């Protein structure tokens, strides 16, 4: 059984940065759904490259069959990690249903780490971060925020109802955010 922590929050809320620190210090393996999709987009011979590119530019969500297969493969190829940080997933109802269908009995959701941050600040961070992403421009960001507000936030609310959400405010320095994150892991995941 894989232990899983889902990491959610608006684009630019610091998911990747915080997950890297958790991986380094707490021994969880960081799996970013977006990174896995970008790697699959680049993979020679991938039949999904064009489809993934289209969704990434539009800020829309790739069908779960593709994303969940990438996540499950990555987990199975990671040896016996104490747990996985599944960053940027599940992003919509399709992601959630597909995960439940494919991963029930194989993965245990420990909790959902919700990095909350006012959207205008997140947008500014994305425009400033200069990672050369094809979707860190104003037009794509507008669509990504739409997707977050209408599709992802309801998924966070769903987990909230099940008592699984641990919210950490991320409009702060990395050190301050990370200190609270460590608290959350100490309380819930028995690191
Ligand atoms: O999480 P990140 O910002 O890296 O995601 C970039 C893009 O990858 C999203 O806007 C979306 O198009 C795609 N994605 C997806 N399904 C996920 C995660 C990311 O389709 N679960
Ligand atoms: Mg990311």
């Amino acid at each position: 059984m894989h232990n899983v922590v889902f990491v959610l929050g608006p684009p630019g809320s610091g998911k990747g940065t915080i997950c890297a620190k958790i991986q380094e210090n707490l021994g969880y393996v960081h799996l970013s759904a977006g990174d896995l999709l970008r790697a699959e987009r680049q993979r020679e011979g991938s039949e999904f490259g064009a489809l993934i590119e289209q969704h990434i530019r539009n800020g829309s969500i790739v069908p779960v069959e593709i994303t969940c297969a990438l996540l499950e493969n990555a987990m199975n190829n990671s040896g016996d990690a104490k747990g996985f940080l599944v960053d940027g997933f599940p992003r919509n109802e399709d992601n959630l249903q597909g995960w439940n269908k494919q991963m029930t009995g194989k993965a245990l959701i420990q909790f959902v780490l919700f990095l909350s941050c006012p959207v205008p600040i997140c947008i500014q961070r994305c425009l400033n971060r200069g990672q050369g992403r094809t979707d860190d421009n104003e037009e794509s960001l507008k669509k990504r925020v739409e997707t977050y507000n209408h599709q992802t936030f309801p998924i966070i609310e769903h987990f909230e109802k099940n008592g699984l959400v641990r919210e950490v405010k991320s409009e702060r320095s990395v050190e301050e955010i990370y200190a609270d994150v460590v608290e959350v892991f100490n309380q819930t995941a028995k690191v």
Side-chain angles (χ1 to χ4, degrees):
M1 190 75 109
H2 300 301
N3 289 320
V4 166
V5 173
F6 288 139
V7 183
L8 294 172
S13 56
K15 300 186 291 292
T17 304
I18 293 300
C19 284
K21 278 184 85 76
I22 301 170
Q23 171 166 272
E24 190 182 323
N25 299 304
L26 304 181
Y28 275 65
V29 173
H30 176 206
L31 299 177
S32 156
D35 287 350
L36 288 168
L37 287 166
R38 282 183 283 272
E40 176 65 19
R41 177 184 62 179
Q42 297 309 109
R43 188 174 64 82
E44 205 158 320
S46 170
E47 51 183 317
F48 304 123
L51 179 78
I52 292 171
E53 172 58 16
Q54 199 186 347
H55 280 291
I56 287 180
R57 272 186 190 273
N58 281 324
S60 51
I61 305 302
V62 173
V64 68
E65 288 74 19
I66 298 173
T67 315
C68 200
L70 293 170
L71 287 168
E72 188 177 8
N73 269 337
M75 286 193 268
N76 290 339
N77 293 332
S78 289
D80 46 282
K82 86 165 102 173
F84 294 92
L85 304 163
V86 174
D87 156 9
F89 184 96
R91 282 277 237 284
N92 65 2
E93 190 62 35
D94 176 62
N95 274 190
L96 179 62
Q97 299 294 338
W99 171 276
N100 287 338
K101 197 166 144 203
Q102 190 174 329
M103 299 308 292
T104 299
K106 300 182 201 166
L108 178 77
I109 302 167
Q110 295 185 305
F111 59 91
V112 177
L113 179 62
F114 170 34
L115 296 179
S116 64
C117 188
V119 162
I121 288 174
C122 290
I123 292 178
Q124 211 44 53
R125 284 181 178 173
C126 289
L127 291 174
N128 290 340
R129 68 184 166 184
Q131 289 178 350
R133 285 173 48 158
T134 57
D135 59 347
D136 277 348
N137 56 74
E138 281 190 42
E139 201 186 322
S140 290
L141 273 163
K142 234 169 113 180
K143 296 175 182 166
R144 291 162 67 196
V145 165
E146 278 269 295
T147 301
Y148 172 77
N149 286 333
H150 293 106
Q151 299 183 41
T152 310
F153 194 70
I155 300 300
I156 297 170
E157 288 180 313
H158 156 83
F159 285 125
E160 178 71 50
K161 282 191 201 112
N162 296 338
L164 281 170
V165 173
R166 308 289 180 269
E167 178 177 352
V168 172
K169 293 198 185 332
S170 74
E171 188 192 345
R172 299 181 290 165
S173 71
V174 174
E175 289 68 31
E176 287 170 302
I177 301 163
Y178 185 67
D180 285 359
V181 165
V182 168
E183 277 290 296
V184 167
F185 273 80
N186 284 336
Q187 281 162 19
T188 354
K190 298 192 190 72
V191 176

